[in-house]
Amino acid sequence: MDVRRAVEAVWRLEAAKVVGALTRLVRDVGLAEELAHDTLVAALEQWPESGISDNPGAWLTAVAKRRAVDHLRRAERLARKQEELAREPESAPAEAPDDVLRLMFLSCHPVLPTRERVALTLRLVGGLTVEEIARAFLVDPPVIARRVAAAKRALAGVGFDLPADPAERLSSVLEVVYLVFNEGYSATSGDDLLRPGLCLEALRLGRLLADLVPDAAEAHGLVALMEIQASRSAARTGPSGEPVQLHEQNRGRWDPLLIRRGFTALLRAREIGGPPGPYVLQAAIAVCHARASRAEDTDWAQIAALYEALARQVPTPVVRLNQAVAVGMAHGPAAGLALVDTLADDPALREYHLLPGVRGDLLVRLGRTVDARREFERAAGLTVNAAERAFLLRRADDLAADETAGPTLGATADAFLARDDLGPDTLRSYGQTLRRLRLTVGERVPLSAMTAAEVHRAFRSAWGTASPKTWNRHRSALRMFALWADAAHLADDLPRLAETGAPTESIPDDRLAALFDRDLPVRERVLWLLLRESAAPVRAVLSLDIEDLDLDDRRARTGSGWIAWRAGTARLLPALLGARTRGPVFVTERRSTNARDRCPDTGHTRLSYERAEYLFKQSTKALHPNGYTLRQLRPRET
Amino acid sequence: MRYLMTSLATGAETPPDERLFTEMGKFIEEMTATGVLLATGGLAPTGLRLTSTGDEITVTDGPFTEAKEVVAGFALIEVRSEEEALELARRFRRIVGDGVSVVQQVFGP
């Protein structure tokens, strides 16, 4: 057997403990990881010669600790500190019971973006290499390396103590573990439906965590949920990799061992007591399914009730969609459909293939096969998973198509774009519009079945936040198409929007969220939030003086009226103002001689429009190649 | 992947001592905590042997003559690789002392 692989296997078993202990000693997770890596390299050099140590775990911890002590000594000599300090780390224990838990809390720290938490947790706690993580997530290794490095940088100043608010921090750890599991269980992209490696890592992380925080019901709930979901792995894909839905799975292929472990974990969660949290509720739902030895024995009323409780705590569209499925099973397809239809306009579900998928199921049960077929086709257009798409298209094909309905949207659009009297630019532009429409409405929908309202919905979801100019371009493309296809009525609900000359299209909310997600100086944060929340002119805001502010009523007097803001600005304003009580609200460090634009106490100058605009443009280049102007912070007129 | 680790009876009649119990307890606890150990148990030295030939099935009472071939205990583990299974089996053998264990991959649930 390959010694290197043997050493790496040992390493993976011990990595969390070693890195945890090192982080406790050197109090810097980035340095700890480097020292840990050195330790692994030492093992890889020595063990092939000398044979694997009898007690490899202890060997690794001891070597790692020695390296940490050496490092601290060197750092100390550099800092010329007192000698006693040098003895401290030596007397520190090589292992402490909380090391691994602390390490989990640290690598799932809320200062990190979720993707970095995931990468760092797998790297440090799971002991996976960057290449292995990259392979599991189907990205290039440098992407993961960058995430790990960014996470380590961000954690440089963060302590290794157990958090003061463990409950809240625990939920961040649970989230990361479940995310890893889901990435493995229902791969969001790629052709394989299951990536068992990630499921296994998540299960191990979860079991480890539940053991470290035995009194946290949600940790046991998560373990229960994962064990039971994992118990279905073998049954949830068919011979050619296609997904098999829960009610059609061969329950004899469910893994009874994992089901039993799931039951046990849920029992432990229940014994701890307290109101059930989201993971316990989801586990309880999974247990309901696992208890039914045949699909028709499923206690749907109980599941619908559990979903209702879950939707109260986690009212996400996806949970409510699942609730609709359960209600459809417990109280009939019409009741389920009514619930699904309340979700149809939720922007979060706009491109979620399960929404039309679920609608399709319910419609089939209501006997509305033509409508159901459309929904399955729409779902197929939205999913990125090849196996799932094939499955949805097959479901659509199983349903009778409406033969009398005439040509489909897809075929008509293809014919339209194949015309030879259009220039290449026009074709490209029309193609964009139609591609989007085909995706949202469905490729194989008969043109005769489409309505103006449907087209309007598709337009609103695709270009509702774009500039009037963009909207109008797509609108005229659609009008040309509709005229050509003898269906001019399809454009009836699309108004032409007035185009203003200046490029003042508002920055979309999601981009803005990405901007505010970053580390920003408080001045910029307040200025930008205030502009967004108040919709006031930039010059008016920059010329505000502290004396003008009415913090209690969240408004300020200007020459021409009032500027009002909301909670975001209100929360941050005190931090910006500090002890200042007069003078310009927004100042730069530069000093000025002009009395009106100067803080009378510090002499600092009012922030100029040009400077503010420049800074904003620079900061928003990551969002848009040209950057945005401050004026574009003003929210879109509604 | 899953591996079944079975330990064969040693034939020696020395009963396990206190130290072995403590160390084994600790080892099992750790394997459970890290999520590796799915199930484990010891097996009675006696059992029934079923042999089928054609339509005929014969049942024989144990104990069996080849004591060395009798499985005394098992552990079902879920690991990332064969190397990891082997490493855990090593740790187990180090605790129990002289004897034989067999590690086999388990296919399917």
Side-chain angles (χ1 to χ4, degrees):
Chain A
M1 175 177 295
D2 187 350
V3 182
R4 186 187 172 90
R5 291 183 48 146
V7 175
E8 282 168 354
V10 174
W11 172 254
R12 242 164 258 167
L13 289 168
E14 305 296 333
K17 269 189 281 181
V18 174
V19 178
L22 283 170
T23 313
R24 174 168 43 82
L25 292 172
V26 300
R27 310 205 77 78
D28 177 289
V29 72
L31 176 59
E33 199 229 356
E34 276 168 40
L35 292 168
H37 184 75
D38 292 349
T39 310
L40 172 61
V41 171
L44 282 169
E45 281 167 5
Q46 284 188 31
W47 289 355
E49 301 281 317
S50 61
I52 292 183
S53 152
D54 266 359
N55 189 344
W59 188 96
L60 289 168
T61 333
V63 171
K65 188 187 161 186
R66 200 153 59 233
R67 277 165 195 269
V69 171
D70 286 350
H71 172 89
L72 289 173
R73 285 240 184 82
R74 263 198 313 278
E76 214 167 277
R77 267 202 299 280
L78 284 174
R80 290 162 200 268
K81 284 222 183 109
Q82 298 208 329
E83 200 141 293
E84 303 89 82
L85 285 173
R87 295 203 192 95
E88 220 178 88
E90 259 164 302
S91 58
E95 273 179 44
D98 278 344
D99 283 348
V100 174
L101 182 61
R102 286 169 198 234
L103 187 65
M104 280 186 161
F105 277 129
L106 190 65
S107 53
C108 298
H109 199 284
V111 298
L112 304 175
T114 312
R115 292 193 313 193
E116 287 178 17
R117 291 183 209 173
V118 168
L120 196 66
T121 305
L122 288 174
R123 176 90 187 93
L124 298 185
V125 188
L128 302 192
T129 64
V130 163
E131 288 74 21
E132 285 165 327
I133 303 171
R135 216 168 31 244
F137 284 92
L138 308 177
V139 296
D140 288 333
V143 175
I144 298 295
R146 271 199 300 276
R147 280 183 204 163
V148 171
K152 288 193 298 191
R153 264 199 310 281
L155 291 177
V158 176
F160 193 55
D161 300 319
L162 280 176
D165 49 350
E168 199 174 306
R169 293 284 298 281
L170 180 65
S171 73
S172 166
V173 183
L174 296 173
E175 188 196 335
V176 167
V177 173
Y178 196 41
L179 221 128
V180 172
F181 182 82
N182 270 321
E183 184 64 28
Y185 192 66
S186 53
T188 50
S189 53
D191 294 340
D192 253 343
L193 208 59
L194 273 168
R195 277 186 249 135
L198 281 179
C199 288
L200 176 61
E201 289 305 328
L203 267 169
R204 281 171 74 153
L205 286 171
R207 292 168 185 160
L208 180 62
L209 180 66
D211 191 74
L212 291 170
V213 286
D215 296 330
E218 280 288 89
H220 295 287
L222 174 61
V223 171
L225 177 61
M226 293 192 300
E227 302 272 16
I228 292 184
Q229 286 188 324
S231 78
R232 304 180 197 137
S233 303
R236 68 195 286 272
T237 45
S240 43
E242 76 282 10
V244 180
Q245 291 192 320
L246 190 59
H247 68 274
E248 286 171 347
Q249 287 175 9
N250 175 356
R251 293 176 184 228
R253 299 189 68 200
W254 287 359
D255 183 348
L257 178 64
L258 291 186
I259 292 180
R260 206 186 42 131
R261 291 179 65 92
F263 285 0
T264 313
L266 185 62
L267 273 178
R268 286 196 64 183
R270 289 251 169 85
E271 277 163 13
I272 293 164
Y279 290 112
V280 171
L281 285 170
Q282 291 176 78
I285 292 167
V287 162
C288 277
H289 287 298
R291 279 231 175 86
S293 47
R294 296 176 311 162
E296 51 270 40
D297 297 339
T298 311
D299 185 353
W300 283 106
Q302 170 75 9
I303 293 177
L306 287 166
Y307 265 119
E308 201 192 327
L310 184 61
R312 265 200 303 275
Q313 289 187 33
V314 195
T316 64
V318 175
V319 168
R320 286 161 59 212
L321 186 61
N322 282 316
Q323 188 192 353
V325 174
V327 167
M329 295 304 287
H331 312 297
L337 194 63
L339 212 54
V340 171
D341 286 343
T342 62
L343 300 171
D345 276 340
D346 198 308
L349 293 180
R350 198 153 66 194
E351 294 183 4
Y352 190 51
H353 65 280
L354 288 184
L355 178 65
V358 167
R359 261 200 115 230
D361 276 331
L362 293 165
L363 288 167
V364 168
R365 289 174 54 208
L366 285 169
R368 292 166 56 185
T369 47
V370 174
D371 294 335
R373 187 185 162 107
R374 280 182 63 174
E375 293 294 340
F376 288 134
E377 284 166 352
R378 216 151 69 94
L382 289 172
T383 181
V384 288
N385 185 296
E388 208 153 356
R389 181 164 48 246
F391 168 74
L392 286 162
L393 285 176
R394 225 177 7 264
R395 290 205 67 186
D397 286 339
D398 286 347
L399 296 169
D402 188 355
E403 300 294 349
T404 61
T408 61
L409 170 61
T412 317
D414 283 340
F416 176 68
L417 295 171
R419 288 165 55 187
D420 47 17
D421 54 341
L422 297 174
D425 288 344
T426 316
L427 269 180
R428 194 165 44 244
S429 168
Y430 287 180
Q432 277 176 6
T433 311
L434 291 174
R435 189 165 54 243
R436 188 65 212 202
L437 192 68
R438 289 155 82 158
L439 198 64
T440 353
V441 177
E443 183 78 0
R444 292 197 265 171
V445 175
L447 203 63
S448 62
M450 282 174 60
T451 63
E454 209 167 16
V455 173
H456 178 243
R457 221 179 10 250
F459 260 62
R460 212 181 46 203
S461 83
W463 301 294
T465 52
S467 71
K469 208 171 148 200
T470 307
W471 170 280
N472 289 340
R473 177 165 64 81
H474 291 293
R475 172 181 174 270
S476 52
L478 184 93
R479 278 162 54 96
M480 291 308 290
F481 169 69
L483 263 177
W484 180 84
D486 219 6
H489 65 279
L490 289 181
D492 280 356
D493 285 359
L494 300 179
R496 186 184 162 74
L497 301 182
E499 291 181 22
T500 44
T504 52
E505 85 190 56
S506 177
I507 306 173
D509 283 332
D510 53 336
R511 298 224 172 149
L512 209 57
L515 178 65
F516 281 114
D517 239 11
R518 281 187 283 160
D519 246 342
L520 296 171
V522 67
R523 184 187 70 193
E524 268 57 49
R525 204 172 265 275
V526 175
L527 174 63
W528 301 346
L529 261 179
L530 179 52
L531 285 169
R532 184 69 161 193
E533 291 183 355
S534 68
V538 181
R539 281 192 199 283
V541 168
L542 285 171
S543 57
L544 284 176
D545 286 332
I546 298 174
E547 296 93 312
D548 301 329
L549 304 181
D550 181 347
L551 294 179
D552 290 335
D553 281 343
R554 295 183 181 175
R555 58 179 191 167
R557 180 179 291 285
T558 69
S560 56
W562 293 93
I563 291 177
W565 55 84
R566 294 201 295 268
T569 309
R571 241 191 326 270
L572 289 172
L573 260 176
L576 175 68
L577 300 180
R580 296 187 292 139
T581 55
R582 51 194 184 144
V585 175
F586 300 99
V587 291
T588 67
E589 302 281 12
R590 277 192 316 119
R591 292 176 188 274
S592 168
T593 49
N594 176 348
R596 211 188 74 77
D597 283 332
R598 188 180 57 183
C599 171
D601 300 316
T602 61
H604 289 167
T605 321
R606 184 185 303 277
L607 178 65
S608 70
Y609 195 144
E610 292 68 28
R611 177 76 188 152
E613 185 82 326
Y614 170 79
L615 288 173
F616 190 63
K617 200 141 223 169
Q618 291 305 313
S619 303
T620 50
K621 285 228 164 107
L623 307 180
H624 190 283
N626 301 327
Y628 285 99
T629 64
L630 285 168
R631 222 176 266 158
Q632 288 172 285
L633 275 168
R634 185 198 278 253
R636 193 167 53 93
E637 255 93 356
T638 44
Chain B
M1 34 185 134
R2 288 181 181 176
Y3 284 83
L4 182 69
M5 183 172 81
T6 42
S7 318
L8 305 186
T10 50
E13 290 307 310
T14 46
D17 62 4
E18 195 71 14
R19 181 200 62 88
L20 186 99
F21 265 122
T22 329
E23 279 189 35
M24 188 55 70
K26 210 175 138 233
F27 180 61
I28 288 177
E29 225 170 78
E30 197 183 320
M31 288 230 292
T32 309
T34 50
V36 173
L37 185 63
L38 294 181
T40 183
L43 302 183
T46 57
L48 302 170
R49 188 193 297 267
L50 279 79
T51 318
S52 50
T53 327
D55 292 337
E56 201 181 325
I57 296 176
T58 338
V59 181
T60 331
D61 276 345
F64 311 106
T65 40
E66 282 297 319
K68 276 190 294 185
E69 298 296 316
V70 174
V71 175
F74 76 94
L76 182 64
I77 54 178
E78 193 163 40
V79 291
R80 301 175 176 108
S81 61
E82 188 181 90
E83 288 82 0
E84 199 169 292
L86 200 66
E87 170 60 22
L88 293 169
R90 272 176 205 279
R91 293 184 187 187
F92 172 79
R93 291 267 32 125
R94 241 171 248 133
I95 296 171
V96 293
D98 298 351
V100 178
S101 284
V102 177
V103 178
Q104 289 162 287
Q105 186 172 358
V106 178
F107 298 116

